[in-house]
Amino acid sequence: MYAQVVKSEGSKTRDEMTPEELAFQDRIDRGEKIEPKEWMPEGYRKTLIRQIGQHAHSEIVGQLPEGNWITRAPTLERKAILLAKVQDEAGHGLYLYSAAETLGVSRDELMELLHAGKMKYSSIFNYPTLTWADMGAVGWLVDGAAIMNQVPLQRTSYGPYSRAMIRICKEESFHQRQGYAIMMKMAQGTPAQKRMAQDALNRLWYPSLMMFGPSDKDSVHSAQSMAWKIKMNTNDELRQKFVDQTVPQAEYLGLTVPDPDLKWNEEKGGYDFSEPDWSEFYDVLAGNGPCNKDRLGARVKAWEDGAWFRDALVVHAEKAAARRAVAAE
Ligand code: 3HC
């Protein structure tokens, strides 16, 4: 089924739409929410499964680079905060898998596709977290980029996705602030700590810009996804907003964004900045990033290690149902 999900169907003009499709598009244009049991074009359903599924996978794979630092957090307080954040990401994954399930795909199917390398998760999580300062930079930049994308998605047209995003965004803003708080501490610390903070920014800046996806001219799905309000902004619009928001934050920290061409453009009211290296982006998507194999390996291992528990839950549920049936006789 997923093979058909991968490429969104070409946008149709109003003249090409069936009466049902026209009525559906009118509902979207009026800002109505679409709910699970209502009629929807097959392409809309598939695009949602692709995007929500990828998003869910990003949440749970995204636990790995930070989970790596739970045992090495510098204080008990930092450990407790990081633990809570990583647990939040698991919760976000669950909301999103549940939202995808309302579209007729099971969590097990989505997992199988992830494990077989047939479904993506965010490119950012294929980069390593080398120092404690990376925990700051991940919260500040990665969660910051995630929120920039996800706040507009609270208004997305599919009801369960939009409601999941409202809860997720509340927690993501805490995540972003805890990351920035770590960066403040490091940037105001010893010269060695400040160097670590700068190094984390240097390594994670461009991978964070890549999170928004390819340039609009290369974005396969944006036009149709925006017509359906599955996406609310283009990739480049959000990337620009992220840069405009983040550069002053870096300046406040006394850190330098690693882009010699970064410059305020008075006319457009935003920064001019260098594009990420898109060949690196596509290489990471093809499975060749620094951590792709580790990340997928860790997820597959967790899934296999948990098989006995999932089996036990099913057996328990069957026995409980059988007991209830006997009691009802
Ligand atoms: N990483 C991996 N794949 C990416 C990507 C990225 N950063 N950006 C784009 N792609 C993929 C697309 O999935 C698509 O591939 P596919 O056809 O095989 O699915 C291809 O590149 C072309 O890109 P498009 O611009 O045409 O794709 P989309 O219209 O789907 O836009 C997106 C990409 C902006 C990421 C969009 O899917 C989106 O807004 N998704 C919802 C938000 C999301 O998934 N966020 C994950 C961020 S991490 C996170 O939330 C965890 C938190 O804890 C930090």
Side-chain angles (χ1 to χ4, degrees):
M1 184 202 66
Y2 184 70
Q4 296 143 25
V5 175
V6 175
K7 294 292 165 238
S8 63
E9 291 165 12
S11 305
K12 287 185 181 172
T13 63
R14 287 188 73 84
D15 289 344
E16 292 163 344
M17 289 182 195
T18 64
E20 260 177 331
E21 287 168 345
L22 268 177
F24 179 84
Q25 188 61 52
D26 288 343
R27 290 190 63 197
I28 300 266
D29 294 345
R30 283 197 298 271
E32 285 180 29
K33 292 276 180 258
I34 308 300
E35 296 298 338
K37 297 219 166 97
E38 294 172 343
W39 185 86
M40 58 186 78
E42 197 47 20
Y44 177 82
R45 194 181 70 82
K46 288 174 178 170
T47 303
L48 277 171
I49 292 176
R50 182 184 60 79
Q51 180 166 315
I52 300 174
Q54 268 179 208
H55 192 167
H57 295 328
S58 302
E59 299 284 354
I60 58 159
V61 177
Q63 293 182 287
L64 298 170
E66 289 178 304
N68 179 35
W69 279 92
I70 291 172
T71 54
R72 291 180 286 159
T75 65
L76 184 59
E77 190 193 7
R78 291 287 183 205
K79 189 195 283 278
I81 295 170
L82 187 60
L83 198 56
K85 177 189 189 296
V86 172
Q87 284 175 336
D88 284 351
E89 309 298 4
H92 298 175
L94 292 182
Y95 298 152
L96 290 163
Y97 286 123
S98 300
E101 280 181 319
T102 65
L103 293 154
V105 62
S106 72
R107 201 189 308 176
D108 285 7
E109 282 175 89
L110 292 173
M111 288 296 177
E112 267 174 37
L113 291 162
L114 171 69
H115 298 159
K118 291 183 182 159
M119 241 182 134
K120 296 187 169 79
Y121 56 87
S122 184
S123 49
I124 186 73
F125 301 121
N126 292 308
Y127 290 84
T129 45
L130 302 178
T131 72
W132 175 251
D134 288 14
M135 292 303 93
V138 166
W140 171 38
L141 301 173
V142 175
D143 291 84
I147 302 172
M148 192 54 85
N149 173 293
Q150 291 168 16
V151 164
L153 289 180
Q154 295 177 110
R155 292 179 287 109
T156 193
S157 60
Y158 188 56
Y161 190 25
S162 128
R163 291 188 286 274
M165 290 319 307
I166 292 169
R167 300 187 67 145
I168 289 174
C169 283
K170 290 198 174 112
E171 291 176 350
E172 291 293 1
S173 56
F174 151 68
H175 296 173
Q176 198 265 356
R177 280 169 206 200
Q178 67 84 37
Y180 197 68
I182 294 175
M183 289 307 271
M184 291 252 268
K185 200 82 177 169
M186 301 290 287
Q188 292 164 1
T190 63
Q193 285 172 319
K194 187 165 180 189
R195 275 198 302 279
M196 280 167 70
Q198 181 64 55
D199 172 60
L201 172 58
N202 291 350
R203 282 181 289 105
L204 289 165
W205 175 252
Y206 286 106
S208 300
L209 296 191
M210 292 176 195
M211 286 176 69
F212 297 98
S215 299
D216 291 351
K217 63 178 168 33
D218 299 316
S219 170
V220 190
H221 304 292
S222 283
Q224 179 61 77
S225 291
M226 286 179 67
W228 278 329
K229 296 191 184 161
I230 289 174
K231 268 170 96 162
M232 306 303 287
N233 301 88
T234 73
N235 301 353
D236 285 338
E237 279 169 10
L238 291 174
R239 196 171 4 255
Q240 179 72 54
K241 280 179 82 171
F242 174 74
V243 171
D244 294 345
Q245 173 185 284
T246 310
V247 170
Q249 295 171 349
E251 283 167 358
Y252 186 76
L253 292 172
L255 301 179
T256 308
V257 172
D259 178 358
D261 296 326
L262 184 78
K263 196 165 178 279
W264 178 255
N265 180 332
E266 193 61 50
E267 207 177 311
K268 80 171 179 187
Y271 286 91
D272 290 332
F273 59 94
S274 306
E275 293 269 312
D277 175 353
W278 291 117
S279 62
E280 177 182 319
F281 171 75
Y282 287 112
D283 213 28
V284 171
L285 260 55
N288 303 320
C291 299
N292 292 59
K293 288 187 182 61
D294 284 357
R295 300 297 186 232
L296 209 53
R299 284 309 319 163
V300 170
K301 183 175 182 315
W303 185 251
E304 286 171 355
D305 289 351
W308 69 272
F309 186 69
R310 292 191 302 279
D311 291 347
L313 281 178
V314 172
V315 173
H316 176 73
E318 282 168 0
K319 281 187 179 167
R323 271 197 299 274
R324 276 197 303 276
V326 169
E329 276 171 10

